[in-house]
Amino acid sequence: MRGEEPTVIEALKTRALPEGSCDYLLEFLRLYRDAVQLVVDRIWGINEKLSWKKLHRLFYSDLVGRGLRAHHAKEIYIYANSLVDSARSNGGRKPVLRRLSARVDKYDYRLDLDNMTLTLKLHSDHEVKLKLVTSRDRVEKFRGWSNYELVVKYEDGEFWVSLYFRRVIKPVKPRTVMAIDLNFDNVTLAVLTLDGRLVKLKRFKTPYRKILTHKIWIERIQRRYPRSWRFIKGVRKAIERHGERIRNISWEYSHKLGDLVAELAIRYHSVIVLEDLDELRENNKKSKEFNKKLGLWFYRRIQFCVDYEAGERDLEVVKVNPRGTSSKCPRCGRKLVEYEHRVLKCKKCDFIGDRDVIATLNLYKKFIKKHSRCGVPGVTLNAPKPDENPSGMQGNKNEAMKTNQTT
Ligand SMILES: [Zn+2]
């Protein structure tokens, strides 16, 4: 496909024990934090967007003059700039840093996975060697990945490092496209060949009822104790318990679904097509539905798991703009009208189909359109006719309505 190669990024967080004295490391972390603060303070007063080049000109020599290394300096001004950016866009106050934490570029450390050690290059040519306190199994996974960055922290008297690993996915050329439409009560999945033939249609129920029940309980409790629920331990605990249940239900579901989807994609040699949630607009029917009933977080969680499981299996995931996918005719592009419960009809070409299946067909179409210039043959969708099998359309509701509960 176009652009960058798809990659998977994962972090390994582990405790780290300095060999010998930790004085220099602590000194470094303080120096680093104070340097970030200094840059934040100065940028805060400048009312313009700063390019990396400009940041470099403004701060590089000052930071290096404090004994920091070249790449330390770069990490510091870029990090400070991003802090200011996000504080400004949230309408927040000037960031004040308290915690001791430093982001370190690959040029400033040596990672030895065989011996589970890490050597950090600090200020003024000091070095510190750290022993990684974790199991060999956790580390083994990352052999062959590239490590490009780490974050070292001092927290409650202990040092922690998060090592960031990256692996390029070499996707096999897909033979089919798997389009996935997320709804608050179901997830609909369609597998189509590159020339538009439907080979698999599946629908999974979501546990939205269970989640809603807990949500309603929380709201009920909060209404009964509108002012005090935060302060009465028993009440707060009850709310936390329901919140915990919601988290567990949604993670468990998302993991299972991600796994199922990825296994199916392997079987059908599919590229997985998801809706780009960042493109969901306020006026979109779907986003309204979600904000009210469940929240986009549930969507994102499912996508995260699909993405993750696909990455583990070297499968490619592509996101397309979901705009219009649930309202336009997949055959002729006209606006569809309500026909029956969950069934839509096109007035122009008489296409009739299940609402969610239509969404997957449109996602498929968008994918083909977007990628037809780069390897995938440019085909026009031969949308299943209402009376055709196995389209999941009218007269064939059994297949489309079949549900596989994954909870
Ligand atoms: Zn039509």
Side-chain angles (χ1 to χ4, degrees):
M1 300 293 151
R2 257 174 293 174
E4 288 172 25
E5 288 174 297
T7 54
V8 194
I9 289 172
E10 261 182 71
L12 171 69
K13 188 178 178 189
T14 164
R15 204 154 71 82
L17 279 179
E19 292 183 352
S21 160
C22 60
D23 292 350
Y24 285 133
L25 182 52
L26 276 174
E27 194 177 274
F28 167 73
L29 287 172
R30 285 196 196 99
L31 183 68
Y32 193 103
R33 178 193 58 192
D34 296 344
V36 175
Q37 188 67 57
L38 174 112
V39 177
V40 165
D41 292 349
R42 290 206 203 145
I43 302 179
W44 195 255
I46 305 171
N47 224 347
E48 58 173 299
K49 276 246 178 226
L50 297 168
S51 64
W52 286 15
K53 217 171 147 185
K54 186 115 191 239
L55 286 164
H56 185 83
R57 231 179 15 246
L58 285 171
F59 300 112
Y60 182 79
S61 51
D62 186 347
L63 294 171
V64 170
R66 287 161 197 261
L68 291 159
R69 296 168 60 87
H71 286 275
H72 293 152
K74 191 177 160 207
E75 292 275 352
I76 286 168
Y77 62 67
I78 289 172
Y79 178 52
N81 193 46
S82 73
L83 283 177
V84 170
D85 260 1
S86 67
R88 278 206 185 117
S89 61
N90 300 330
R93 290 189 205 163
K94 188 180 83 178
V96 176
L97 289 102
R98 291 202 175 81
R99 301 168 67 153
L100 291 176
S101 145
R103 192 168 277 273
V104 184
D105 192 285
K106 67 178 175 209
Y107 298 102
D108 293 332
Y109 64 83
R110 272 192 315 276
L111 178 64
D112 181 350
L113 286 184
D114 290 325
N115 296 307
M116 311 256 280
T117 59
L118 171 73
T119 309
L120 286 174
K121 292 180 183 168
L122 308 174
H123 57 299
S124 314
D125 290 329
H126 297 302
E127 271 192 8
V128 64
K129 197 169 180 184
L130 298 145
K131 186 96 196 134
L132 303 179
V133 188
T134 182
S135 72
R136 175 139 301 275
D137 281 356
R138 278 187 78 207
V139 173
E140 258 339 284
K141 180 184 174 181
F142 296 102
R143 216 167 268 282
W145 293 49
S146 67
N147 169 251
Y148 61 100
E149 195 177 52
L150 65 80
V151 171
V152 53
K153 266 183 205 173
Y154 185 66
E155 233 169 36
D156 304 323
E158 291 178 336
F159 292 98
W160 289 84
V161 289
S162 296
L163 300 157
Y164 290 88
F165 290 93
R166 182 161 48 197
R167 182 169 61 95
V168 173
I169 304 176
K170 294 248 177 292
V172 280
K173 215 173 163 65
R175 280 186 229 156
T176 64
V177 179
M178 177 185 286
I180 300 174
D181 175 58
L182 301 174
N183 300 286
F184 77 99
D185 60 346
N186 80 79
V187 173
T188 305
L189 170 161
V191 180
L192 294 106
T193 58
L194 297 176
D195 55 4
R197 196 168 47 85
L198 186 71
V199 287
K200 179 91 187 167
L201 191 60
K202 226 171 160 62
R203 195 186 308 241
F204 306 95
K205 277 185 189 162
T206 66
Y208 84 102
R209 270 182 196 285
K210 283 191 205 161
I211 293 174
L212 269 188
T213 311
H214 289 289
K215 219 180 148 206
I216 288 165
W217 269 110
I218 290 174
E219 284 162 6
R220 209 176 276 171
I221 298 169
Q222 286 172 336
R223 264 204 307 277
R224 195 179 306 160
Y225 306 93
R227 261 174 259 264
S228 57
W229 68 266
R230 252 178 255 272
F231 311 109
I232 303 172
K233 202 180 167 196
V235 176
R236 202 180 60 228
K237 278 268 179 295
I239 287 178
E240 278 167 10
R241 264 200 305 279
H242 286 294
E244 177 89 28
R245 281 299 293 143
I246 292 178
R247 269 194 302 282
N248 289 344
I249 292 167
S250 60
W251 272 122
E252 198 185 321
Y253 175 80
S254 304
H255 281 146
K256 275 186 188 161
L257 188 76
D259 199 55
L260 261 161
V261 164
E263 284 301 317
L264 268 176
I266 288 260
R267 201 192 308 160
Y268 288 96
H269 303 273
S270 312
V271 48
I272 299 170
V273 180
L274 299 173
E275 299 158 275
D276 187 348
L277 298 179
D278 297 332
E279 303 271 5
L280 277 183
R281 300 274 153 76
E282 267 310 306
N283 59 359
N284 186 303
K285 199 171 134 212
K286 196 171 212 169
S287 90
K288 266 191 223 152
E289 193 176 56
F290 261 87
N291 283 334
K292 234 188 292 167
K293 296 213 168 99
L294 268 184
L296 225 53
W297 63 267
F298 184 54
Y299 253 32
R300 291 193 196 280
R301 192 159 291 180
I302 292 176
Q303 285 206 345
F304 173 84
C305 289
V306 169
D307 224 358
Y308 179 85
E309 294 296 338
E312 292 272 287
R313 293 165 177 82
D314 274 5
L315 292 161
E316 197 177 357
V317 177
V318 174
K319 289 184 179 161
V320 299
N321 188 340
R323 198 174 171 181
T325 47
S326 47
S327 60
K328 282 182 184 163
C329 173
R331 195 190 284 157
C332 73
R334 263 292 191 84
K335 210 168 155 55
L336 295 162
V337 292
E338 194 91 16
Y339 184 67
E340 279 170 30
H341 178 58
R342 303 187 82 123
V343 177
L344 304 173
K345 184 183 177 176
C346 176
K347 276 186 173 169
K348 195 182 171 204
C349 72
D350 286 335
F351 180 95
I352 296 172
D354 172 88
R355 193 184 65 183
D356 306 324
V357 176
I358 285 173
T360 61
L361 296 178
N362 281 323
L363 287 171
Y364 167 81
K365 248 182 109 173
K366 284 200 176 196
F367 168 80
I368 292 288
K369 211 170 152 192
K370 196 171 159 193
H371 295 280
S372 57
R373 263 177 291 158
C374 37
V376 179
V379 291
T380 49
L381 174 68
N382 178 18
K385 292 180 191 76
D387 54 350
E388 223 172 44
N389 285 340
S391 64
M393 306 290 152
Q394 204 190 34
N396 184 35
K397 277 188 184 161
N398 288 341
E399 172 72 6
M401 299 299 165
K402 220 185 269 175
T403 53
N404 280 59
Q405 201 154 358
T406 57
T407 46

